[in-house]
Amino acid sequence: MQIHLSEHFTYRKLLRFTFPTIVMLIFTSIYGVVDGVFVSNYAGKTAFAAVNLIMPALMIFATVGFMLGTGGSAVVARTMGEGNLSQANRYFSLIVYTGIAAGAALTVLAELIMEPLCILLGADGAMLGQAILYGRILSLALVPFILQNMFQSFLVAAERPKLGLALTVAAGLTNIVGDWLLVGVLPWGVAGAAIATVASSFVGGMVPLVYFLLPNKSPLRLTKTRLESRVLGQTCSNGSSEMMSNLSTSLVSILYNFQLMHLIGEDGVAAFGVIMYVNFIFIGVFMGYSVGAGPIISYHYGAGNHAELRSLLRKSLRLMLFACAGLTAAAVLLAPPLSRIFVGYDTDLLALTTRGFRLYALSFLAMGFNIFGSAFFTALSNGPLSAAIAFLRTLLFQVAAIFLLPLFLGLDGIWLAVTAAELLTLAITAVFLLTQRTRYGYGSAAEESAP
């Protein structure tokens, strides 16, 4: 039975609605993990280090998709909540067409600067050639990759989260089969892994584009539109937190790699790559719930339903409490077997990766609250507060911790940097949620009626 944004959401209904998006983002992370497993085990740790050196830079180009998707879905869902479906479709179309144009421009830029970019990141020798090759192949798919990131949010706003899950599974299977064939069976190394990823991006980005171009059963479809700078500005403002979060994650990953290359060399980059791959699976739970719940929050905010908004926030915070505790425990326990999948062939690298991941996993205790808090303000169309949370947790606090903690804790300080950043950001997130409760009507009924 289909669930509509306008309904009252119990815990059961909230989990049913967000579950496909949670699974979708977990599965997206898993097929990214498969990429790393095949490259590491079949092409070697130099190729694996090359992929992990250039990947954060490639993700910088793709951040526009996260911005337009999350920011745009908030604008579209709020407009739907206000009862103006035709306008919502016009806004939706404008945002999608903008994403296509931005992707095309970024493809040209990425291809032009790929070699100097790899050199700037510190690649040399065999690693340099493999990083350039991987980066140039992946850059060719920036348009479908940006669309894939956008439609993960828009399919939820279109009340089709299960379709989003199905497309993600199809894209993931395309990537997994491609990795097996092009890296495991054929000795194509990083080129094979890149081609498999490109193929999966076309499935995840172009198929939903066709779906929205054709008549469909969802409230949204692509139509004729016109340039409206106000809508694009609001979309970018709303989605600035997600763009900032992903941009900062990429920049900080580059900084992590730089520090690790300085401290322990290629093994450090490889270990960090494993931690990032596995980390994305756990973060997928927090991100999936936040992306899935965002359009519901936007809809009820647009409809002026303060009681439902208050209920959604309280239920979400309780769910995040269980998720943070459970995922932290799971990550600490599973660190050895998960690390072994990637680097079981190297005893020293396995020990380094296992310890690093266990320390990094402590960040999950606070991370879920911060990710949801940022998404919550995005859904309320408060881009500045959302961006502030994202900026603090993924850039400012992490950069400070990466430089300061190793002075006192050595290598362990690098792995604990993200935990320090998340705990500091949690205090800021709590302050924002408390101070904005009357403005947005999600405080207690007594607060709302107070003069």
Side-chain angles (χ1 to χ4, degrees), residues 125-163:
M127 186 188 293
L128 176 60
Q130 295 190 69
I132 293 172
L133 178 61
Y134 187 82
R136 281 186 167 157
I137 294 174
L138 247 64
S139 296
L140 296 174
L142 277 174
V143 170
F145 188 59
I146 285 172
L147 287 175
Q148 183 178 12
N149 293 331
M150 292 175 63
F151 286 131
Q152 285 179 343
S153 296
F154 278 124
L155 283 167
V156 178
E159 300 174 344
R160 292 296 183 273
K162 291 181 180 179
L163 176 59

Side-chain angles (χ1 to χ4, degrees), residues 254-301:
I254 292 170
L255 183 56
Y256 269 107
N257 286 332
F258 178 82
Q259 284 280 71
L260 288 165
M261 281 287 284
H262 174 71
L263 288 173
I264 52 177
E266 187 178 289
D267 278 5
V269 175
F272 181 67
V274 173
I275 293 170
M276 285 296 95
Y277 277 119
V278 180
N279 169 64
F280 289 144
I281 298 175
F282 290 88
I283 291 179
V285 177
F286 302 136
M287 289 295 300
Y289 179 83
S290 300
V291 170
I296 307 172
I297 294 167
S298 296
Y299 185 96
H300 286 284
Y301 173 58

Side-chain angles (χ1 to χ4, degrees), residues 76-221:
V76 171
R78 190 189 68 223
T79 306
M80 291 166 61
E82 293 168 350
N84 198 333
L85 186 58
S86 62
Q87 189 176 63
N89 277 293
R90 195 169 71 247
Y91 293 168
F92 168 62
S93 302
L94 171 63
I95 295 164
V96 171
Y97 300 151
T98 300
I100 294 172
L106 288 171
T107 296
V108 175
L109 175 62
E111 293 293 335
L112 290 174
I113 69 170
M114 190 55 60
E115 183 173 353
L117 177 60
C118 291
I119 294 172
L120 179 65
L121 293 175
D124 57 11
M127 186 188 293
L128 176 60
Q130 295 190 69
I132 293 172
L133 178 61
Y134 187 82
R136 281 186 167 157
I137 294 174
L138 247 64
S139 296
L140 296 174
L142 277 174
V143 170
F145 188 59
I146 285 172
L147 287 175
Q148 183 178 12
N149 293 331
M150 292 175 63
F151 286 131
Q152 285 179 343
S153 296
F154 278 124
L155 283 167
V156 178
E159 300 174 344
R160 292 296 183 273
K162 291 181 180 179
L163 176 59
L165 173 59
L167 289 170
T168 299
V169 170
L173 291 175
T174 300
N175 198 22
I176 291 170
V177 173
D179 280 329
W180 169 77
L181 177 62
L182 301 178
V183 184
V185 178
L186 300 175
W188 288 16
V190 295
I195 292 170
T197 302
V198 168
S200 72
S201 295
F202 272 87
V203 173
M206 303 311 289
V207 173
L209 178 66
V210 173
Y211 172 80
F212 284 116
L213 281 169
L214 299 175
N216 61 76
K217 296 181 180 179
S218 80
L220 297 180
R221 63 188 60 193

Side-chain angles (χ1 to χ4, degrees), residues 281-324:
I281 298 175
F282 290 88
I283 291 179
V285 177
F286 302 136
M287 289 295 300
Y289 179 83
S290 300
V291 170
I296 307 172
I297 294 167
S298 296
Y299 185 96
H300 286 284
Y301 173 58
N305 191 346
H306 293 170
E308 184 66 17
L309 194 61
R310 182 162 55 246
S311 172
L312 286 167
L313 175 61
R314 292 179 178 179
K315 287 181 173 69
S316 295
L317 292 177
R318 289 169 187 150
L319 290 171
M320 279 297 152
L321 177 62
F322 285 106
C324 288

